[in-house]
Amino acid sequence: MIRFAIVGIAMLCAATAHADSQCASPSTCRPACDKGDASACEWLGSYYAQLARTTRGGALQSATRLLQTACTRGSGVGCEELASLLNFASTDHPDVDASKTGQLRTTACKLGDGDACDDTKLGQRLLERQCAAGVPHACLGAAAVYGPDPSAPPDDSGGTGTAMALDDGAPTTAPAVKPDPAKAKALRDRAHKLVADACAARRPRTCSDLVDWRPTMADLTTECDVGASLACDALVRNALSGTAGAPPWLDSAKRACDLGDFVNCERVEGSYDRGENGVTRDAAQASAFRVKSCDAFDATDCAMLGKAESDAHAKIALFERACTEGEIYGCEQAGDWLLAVDAKQALVVYAKACALEDKASALERPICGELAARYDATNPPKAKDLRAQGCKRGETSGC
């Protein structure tokens, strides 16, 4: 069961800011997170959370782990993102415990994240404090309470097309403060100046902080050049959807891949593999981008490389990498190959496969039941528990 400790930390004197690290891609945020940077874990966790909300069920485990780490290390945004993700995931994943999302949001507010506060006035004060600390999107959030931006495009104006895009307009709830157009303008001006200054200094995280607030193609191009993989990805999606003014999608996708965005490594790989999106089929290029994708921590491509690998030790290593990143097939295959060389480790990765299993994967292979059978003679209670887990995940044979 996905559980987490609620960190009890007193209200910080200064708001938690995005600026701890300027990493802005999966491959750059991963080492920063591993070294203890909460903001890098927050960025990476949010990246996986977005994948978990779309097409990658295996990303849920990575997102939960990374956001929990960010929250425990003092990131209010990490706590809020974790609460949001658990609420979303609990509908389809019976082992997700969403009972403490309210406590997570309370913690996020205490850590200085104004968006998480139930007290609207407190939230507004914290947003302004975050703005003063140099967080551009907090400036726009605070500005919206004082009044709508008369120059903002309507909701159907297009832009990046991202589902997370927010309208810089009137708040959806009653304002906590008296409308003040001059203050709203000053906060918006500060937001855009913070971004412009960061882009000029080539600080990618802050430069791309408004990537979900419908920036222009010129903004996205600058942010992509500075090193923000999400801006490159937005350019790709705009180009593929035919948005006017978007640069060629392949250039933006390759730039995103070089920055460590495995989604775009996969996108380029698939286009070369199948000869689509205006790209000539090229098996060698497809293979090269599959390696890049795995190197950028993509579970699917690591599993594919493991399947094609002839050397047993290299095969196991690739499958274990896929397993670590939440690929159930990688765990199953790693376990199968490990049985002959390290039976104890094989059981460990089989257990990971069982934990990752959902109703869809249970139809392909009832891994929890298979693992249970290995404990029938030596540990019947454990075998019974594993079958119960399998039943909960969709293995009808264990019910």
Side-chain angles (χ1 to χ4, degrees):
M1 182 171 285
I2 300 174
R3 295 189 182 274
F4 41 84
I6 301 299
V7 290
I9 303 175
M11 179 76 75
L12 300 184
C13 295
T16 316
H18 266 41
D20 296 352
S21 168
Q22 282 295 319
C23 71
S25 68
S27 66
T28 55
C29 284
R30 178 66 66 103
C33 175
D34 290 344
K35 290 178 181 177
D37 185 338
S39 75
C41 298
E42 168 212 311
W43 190 100
L44 195 59
S46 297
Y47 176 87
Y48 279 102
Q50 186 63 13
L51 295 181
R53 289 183 173 98
T54 53
T55 59
R56 294 168 177 264
L60 176 62
Q61 298 283 339
S62 294
T64 303
R65 173 176 53 82
L66 289 160
L67 290 173
Q68 174 62 76
T69 298
C71 180
T72 303
R73 290 177 180 172
S75 167
V77 175
C79 299
E80 185 195 11
E81 284 283 324
L82 180 58
S84 174
L85 176 64
L86 294 177
N87 265 331
F88 166 83
S90 61
T91 58
D92 293 323
H93 297 268
D95 278 358
V96 172
D97 180 7
S99 64
K100 294 186 173 61
T101 55
Q103 288 176 258
L104 279 168
R105 288 181 58 83
T106 298
T107 299
C109 180
K110 288 181 178 179
L111 287 168
D113 180 24
D115 287 327
C117 301
D118 290 331
D119 184 328
T120 311
K121 290 184 178 180
L122 172 60
Q124 176 68 7
R125 289 198 300 272
L126 291 176
L127 282 172
E128 292 188 47
R129 188 179 296 174
Q130 287 177 289
C131 176
V135 182
H137 76 259
C139 300
L140 290 191
V145 176
Y146 288 108
D149 182 356
S151 66
D155 285 343
D156 60 355
S157 62
T160 65
T162 172
M164 295 188 294
L166 300 173
D167 182 28
D168 185 18
T172 56
T173 57
V177 296
K178 183 179 179 180
D180 187 336
K183 189 162 188 177
K185 183 179 184 304
L187 286 165
R188 291 187 182 96
D189 288 346
R190 174 166 173 75
H192 295 297
K193 186 177 189 306
L194 286 169
V195 167
D197 289 348
C199 292
R202 301 193 71 80
R203 292 185 285 116
R205 173 80 70 85
T206 306
C207 175
S208 61
D209 194 65
L210 303 183
V211 72
D212 296 318
W213 294 68
R214 288 199 294 273
T216 66
M217 288 301 121
D219 292 333
L220 291 172
T221 300
T222 297
E223 293 163 11
C224 177
D225 175 68
V226 167
S229 65
L230 293 183
C232 302
D233 179 67
L235 287 173
V236 173
R237 289 183 285 109
N238 274 281
L240 290 175
S241 64
T243 302
W249 82 268
L250 188 58
D251 292 344
S252 299
K254 287 182 175 180
R255 170 66 172 154
C257 178
D258 287 342
L259 289 169
D261 177 7
F262 60 75
V263 169
N264 277 287
C265 294
E266 273 191 358
R267 187 176 273 136
V268 176
E269 169 205 332
S271 295
Y272 278 123
D273 188 42
R274 295 181 290 272
E276 60 188 18
N277 295 322
V279 175
T280 301
R281 193 169 184 177
D282 188 326
Q285 285 278 33
S287 178
F289 277 94
R290 187 171 297 121
V291 172
K292 283 188 174 186
S293 182
C294 177
D295 287 344
F297 307 101
D298 176 46
T300 302
D301 274 334
C302 288
M304 288 179 65
L305 289 170
K307 186 176 181 180
E309 177 61 55
S310 57
D311 179 80
H313 292 291
K315 183 184 284 286
I316 291 171
L318 286 163
F319 280 139
E320 288 192 304
R321 284 179 66 181
C323 179
T324 299
E325 298 304 320
E327 172 60 64
I328 184 173
Y329 173 79
C331 297
E332 292 171 347
Q333 292 300 306
D336 291 348
W337 283 85
L338 279 165
L339 278 175
V341 294
D342 189 341
K344 185 176 181 180
Q345 182 61 18
L347 296 182
V348 171
V349 293
Y350 280 144
K352 288 184 179 180
C354 176
L356 288 168
E357 187 175 57
D358 55 25
K359 294 187 188 313
S361 57
L363 295 174
E364 298 176 7
R365 180 175 175 179
I367 191 65
C368 298
E370 288 182 22
L371 182 59
R374 298 182 181 279
Y375 287 100
D376 279 333
T378 59
N379 193 338
K382 186 176 182 68
K384 181 180 179 180
D385 181 60
L386 285 165
R387 287 194 172 90
Q389 288 184 49
C391 175
K392 198 171 185 180
R393 288 172 166 80
E395 295 182 13
T396 55
S397 61
C399 299

PDB file of all heavy atoms in Angstrom, residues 54 70 86 91 95-96 113 122 132 149 156 184 209 218 273 282 303 309 351 371:
ATOM      1  N   THR A  54      -1.726  10.496 -17.531  1.00  0.00           N
ATOM      2  CA  THR A  54      -2.049  10.333 -18.953  1.00  0.00           C
ATOM      3  C   THR A  54      -1.987   8.869 -19.347  1.00  0.00           C
ATOM      4  O   THR A  54      -2.981   8.163 -19.256  1.00  0.00           O
ATOM      5  CB  THR A  54      -1.106  11.199 -19.813  1.00  0.00           C
ATOM      6  OG1 THR A  54       0.261  10.909 -19.455  1.00  0.00           O
ATOM      7  CG2 THR A  54      -1.366  12.679 -19.573  1.00  0.00           C
ATOM      8  N   ALA A  70      10.280  14.965  -1.757  1.00  0.00           N
ATOM      9  CA  ALA A  70      10.283  16.427  -1.794  1.00  0.00           C
ATOM     10  C   ALA A  70       9.525  17.006  -0.609  1.00  0.00           C
ATOM     11  O   ALA A  70       9.981  17.964   0.038  1.00  0.00           O
ATOM     12  CB  ALA A  70       9.661  16.916  -3.102  1.00  0.00           C
ATOM     13  N   LEU A  86      -2.464  11.569  -5.318  1.00  0.00           N
ATOM     14  CA  LEU A  86      -3.097  10.469  -4.610  1.00  0.00           C
ATOM     15  C   LEU A  86      -4.613  10.513  -4.755  1.00  0.00           C
ATOM     16  O   LEU A  86      -5.264   9.469  -4.880  1.00  0.00           O
ATOM     17  CB  LEU A  86      -2.696  10.494  -3.136  1.00  0.00           C
ATOM     18  CG  LEU A  86      -1.222  10.214  -2.864  1.00  0.00           C
ATOM     19  CD1 LEU A  86      -0.917  10.344  -1.376  1.00  0.00           C
ATOM     20  CD2 LEU A  86      -0.818   8.837  -3.361  1.00  0.00           C
ATOM     21  N   THR A  91      -8.830   6.368  -7.482  1.00  0.00           N
ATOM     22  CA  THR A  91     -10.006   5.833  -8.171  1.00  0.00           C
ATOM     23  C   THR A  91      -9.686   4.564  -8.953  1.00  0.00           C
ATOM     24  O   THR A  91     -10.543   3.695  -9.101  1.00  0.00           O
ATOM     25  CB  THR A  91     -10.608   6.878  -9.117  1.00  0.00           C
ATOM     26  OG1 THR A  91      -9.606   7.285 -10.065  1.00  0.00           O
ATOM     27  CG2 THR A  91     -11.083   8.101  -8.353  1.00  0.00           C
ATOM     28  N   ASP A  95      -4.695   0.194  -3.983  1.00  0.00           N
ATOM     29  CA  ASP A  95      -3.697   0.247  -2.915  1.00  0.00           C
ATOM     30  C   ASP A  95      -3.241   1.663  -2.583  1.00  0.00           C
ATOM     31  O   ASP A  95      -2.427   1.859  -1.689  1.00  0.00           O
ATOM     32  CB  ASP A  95      -2.465  -0.578  -3.309  1.00  0.00           C
ATOM     33  CG  ASP A  95      -2.693  -2.065  -3.024  1.00  0.00           C
ATOM     34  OD1 ASP A  95      -3.762  -2.391  -2.504  1.00  0.00           O
ATOM     35  OD2 ASP A  95      -1.808  -2.867  -3.331  1.00  0.00           O
ATOM     36  N   VAL A  96      -3.735   2.646  -3.311  1.00  0.00           N
ATOM     37  CA  VAL A  96      -3.355   4.031  -3.033  1.00  0.00           C
ATOM     38  C   VAL A  96      -4.188   4.555  -1.873  1.00  0.00           C
ATOM     39  O   VAL A  96      -5.424   4.553  -1.924  1.00  0.00           O
ATOM     40  CB  VAL A  96      -3.543   4.922  -4.276  1.00  0.00           C
ATOM     41  CG1 VAL A  96      -3.331   6.385  -3.908  1.00  0.00           C
ATOM     42  CG2 VAL A  96      -2.569   4.502  -5.375  1.00  0.00           C
ATOM     43  N   ASP A 113       3.327  27.139   0.751  1.00  0.00           N
ATOM     44  CA  ASP A 113       2.701  27.051  -0.571  1.00  0.00           C
ATOM     45  C   ASP A 113       1.289  27.634  -0.500  1.00  0.00           C
ATOM     46  O   ASP A 113       0.361  26.997  -0.010  1.00  0.00           O
ATOM     47  CB  ASP A 113       2.651  25.601  -1.029  1.00  0.00           C
ATOM     48  CG  ASP A 113       2.017  25.454  -2.406  1.00  0.00           C
ATOM     49  OD1 ASP A 113       2.049  26.442  -3.172  1.00  0.00           O
ATOM     50  OD2 ASP A 113       1.488  24.375  -2.719  1.00  0.00           O
ATOM     51  N   LEU A 122      -4.759  33.789   3.972  1.00  0.00           N
ATOM     52  CA  LEU A 122      -3.424  33.289   4.256  1.00  0.00           C
ATOM     53  C   LEU A 122      -2.746  32.845   2.957  1.00  0.00           C
ATOM     54  O   LEU A 122      -1.579  33.143   2.715  1.00  0.00           O
ATOM     55  CB  LEU A 122      -3.496  32.113   5.235  1.00  0.00           C
ATOM     56  CG  LEU A 122      -2.181  31.358   5.490  1.00  0.00           C
ATOM     57  CD1 LEU A 122      -1.124  32.300   6.064  1.00  0.00           C
ATOM     58  CD2 LEU A 122      -2.417  30.166   6.417  1.00  0.00           C
ATOM     59  N   ALA A 132       7.688  37.466  -3.904  1.00  0.00           N
ATOM     60  CA  ALA A 132       8.829  38.271  -3.462  1.00  0.00           C
ATOM     61  C   ALA A 132      10.112  37.453  -3.419  1.00  0.00           C
ATOM     62  O   ALA A 132      11.212  37.975  -3.633  1.00  0.00           O
ATOM     63  CB  ALA A 132       8.546  38.868  -2.079  1.00  0.00           C
ATOM     64  N   ASP A 149      -6.426  40.077 -15.763  1.00  0.00           N
ATOM     65  CA  ASP A 149      -5.491  40.705 -16.692  1.00  0.00           C
ATOM     66  C   ASP A 149      -6.255  41.072 -17.964  1.00  0.00           C
ATOM     67  O   ASP A 149      -6.720  40.189 -18.682  1.00  0.00           O
ATOM     68  CB  ASP A 149      -4.361  39.727 -17.016  1.00  0.00           C
ATOM     69  CG  ASP A 149      -3.311  40.329 -17.939  1.00  0.00           C
ATOM     70  OD1 ASP A 149      -3.496  41.480 -18.378  1.00  0.00           O
ATOM     71  OD2 ASP A 149      -2.323  39.642 -18.227  1.00  0.00           O
ATOM     72  N   ASP A 156     -10.189  29.699 -24.806  1.00  0.00           N
ATOM     73  CA  ASP A 156     -10.109  28.908 -26.021  1.00  0.00           C
ATOM     74  C   ASP A 156      -9.114  29.471 -27.023  1.00  0.00           C
ATOM     75  O   ASP A 156      -9.186  29.206 -28.210  1.00  0.00           O
ATOM     76  CB  ASP A 156     -11.492  28.798 -26.683  1.00  0.00           C
ATOM     77  CG  ASP A 156     -12.060  30.169 -27.060  1.00  0.00           C
ATOM     78  OD1 ASP A 156     -11.420  31.188 -26.723  1.00  0.00           O
ATOM     79  OD2 ASP A 156     -13.131  30.208 -27.685  1.00  0.00           O
ATOM     80  N   ALA A 184      -2.323  44.419  -9.138  1.00  0.00           N
ATOM     81  CA  ALA A 184      -2.359  43.243 -10.019  1.00  0.00           C
ATOM     82  C   ALA A 184      -1.348  43.409 -11.147  1.00  0.00           C
ATOM     83  O   ALA A 184      -0.606  42.470 -11.474  1.00  0.00           O
ATOM     84  CB  ALA A 184      -3.764  43.056 -10.579  1.00  0.00           C
ATOM     85  N   ASP A 209       9.197  28.913 -15.800  1.00  0.00           N
ATOM     86  CA  ASP A 209       8.225  28.773 -14.712  1.00  0.00           C
ATOM     87  C   ASP A 209       6.790  29.060 -15.151  1.00  0.00           C
ATOM     88  O   ASP A 209       5.847  28.598 -14.521  1.00  0.00           O
ATOM     89  CB  ASP A 209       8.592  29.709 -13.549  1.00  0.00           C
ATOM     90  CG  ASP A 209       7.829  29.371 -12.278  1.00  0.00           C
ATOM     91  OD1 ASP A 209       8.048  28.267 -11.748  1.00  0.00           O
ATOM     92  OD2 ASP A 209       7.005  30.189 -11.841  1.00  0.00           O
ATOM     93  N   ALA A 218       7.437  32.340 -29.291  1.00  0.00           N
ATOM     94  CA  ALA A 218       8.751  32.952 -29.068  1.00  0.00           C
ATOM     95  C   ALA A 218       9.241  32.664 -27.650  1.00  0.00           C
ATOM     96  O   ALA A 218      10.430  32.368 -27.433  1.00  0.00           O
ATOM     97  CB  ALA A 218       8.687  34.455 -29.309  1.00  0.00           C
ATOM     98  N   ASP A 273      11.301   4.674 -36.359  1.00  0.00           N
ATOM     99  CA  ASP A 273      10.998   3.247 -36.419  1.00  0.00           C
ATOM    100  C   ASP A 273       9.860   2.948 -37.395  1.00  0.00           C
ATOM    101  O   ASP A 273       9.916   1.967 -38.154  1.00  0.00           O
ATOM    102  CB  ASP A 273      10.635   2.743 -35.019  1.00  0.00           C
ATOM    103  CG  ASP A 273      10.495   1.236 -34.956  1.00  0.00           C
ATOM    104  OD1 ASP A 273      11.327   0.543 -35.560  1.00  0.00           O
ATOM    105  OD2 ASP A 273       9.555   0.756 -34.306  1.00  0.00           O
ATOM    106  N   ASP A 282      14.221   4.867 -40.422  1.00  0.00           N
ATOM    107  CA  ASP A 282      15.668   4.701 -40.255  1.00  0.00           C
ATOM    108  C   ASP A 282      15.898   3.862 -38.990  1.00  0.00           C
ATOM    109  O   ASP A 282      15.838   4.374 -37.874  1.00  0.00           O
ATOM    110  CB  ASP A 282      16.342   6.068 -40.133  1.00  0.00           C
ATOM    111  CG  ASP A 282      17.865   5.999 -40.149  1.00  0.00           C
ATOM    112  OD1 ASP A 282      18.412   5.012 -39.631  1.00  0.00           O
ATOM    113  OD2 ASP A 282      18.492   6.943 -40.667  1.00  0.00           O
ATOM    114  N   ALA A 303      13.240  -1.842 -20.994  1.00  0.00           N
ATOM    115  CA  ALA A 303      12.699  -3.194 -21.108  1.00  0.00           C
ATOM    116  C   ALA A 303      12.834  -3.723 -22.532  1.00  0.00           C
ATOM    117  O   ALA A 303      13.169  -4.898 -22.748  1.00  0.00           O
ATOM    118  CB  ALA A 303      11.240  -3.211 -20.680  1.00  0.00           C
ATOM    119  N   GLU A 309      18.608  -7.798 -25.938  1.00  0.00           N
ATOM    120  CA  GLU A 309      19.996  -8.044 -25.553  1.00  0.00           C
ATOM    121  C   GLU A 309      20.296  -9.549 -25.507  1.00  0.00           C
ATOM    122  O   GLU A 309      19.491 -10.340 -25.006  1.00  0.00           O
ATOM    123  CB  GLU A 309      20.261  -7.409 -24.179  1.00  0.00           C
ATOM    124  CG  GLU A 309      21.629  -7.635 -23.626  1.00  0.00           C
ATOM    125  CD  GLU A 309      22.734  -7.077 -24.492  1.00  0.00           C
ATOM    126  OE1 GLU A 309      22.696  -5.863 -24.802  1.00  0.00           O
ATOM    127  OE2 GLU A 309      23.618  -7.868 -24.876  1.00  0.00           O
ATOM    128  N   ALA A 351       8.458  -9.587  -6.205  1.00  0.00           N
ATOM    129  CA  ALA A 351       7.604  -8.844  -5.269  1.00  0.00           C
ATOM    130  C   ALA A 351       7.330  -7.431  -5.788  1.00  0.00           C
ATOM    131  O   ALA A 351       6.218  -6.899  -5.627  1.00  0.00           O
ATOM    132  CB  ALA A 351       8.260  -8.781  -3.893  1.00  0.00           C
ATOM    133  N   LEU A 371       4.276 -15.835  -7.487  1.00  0.00           N
ATOM    134  CA  LEU A 371       5.173 -15.630  -6.354  1.00  0.00           C
ATOM    135  C   LEU A 371       4.652 -16.372  -5.126  1.00  0.00           C
ATOM    136  O   LEU A 371       5.428 -16.981  -4.371  1.00  0.00           O
ATOM    137  CB  LEU A 371       5.315 -14.135  -6.062  1.00  0.00           C
ATOM    138  CG  LEU A 371       6.255 -13.743  -4.921  1.00  0.00           C
ATOM    139  CD1 LEU A 371       7.677 -14.238  -5.186  1.00  0.00           C
ATOM    140  CD2 LEU A 371       6.259 -12.222  -4.731  1.00  0.00           C
TER     141      LEU A 371
END
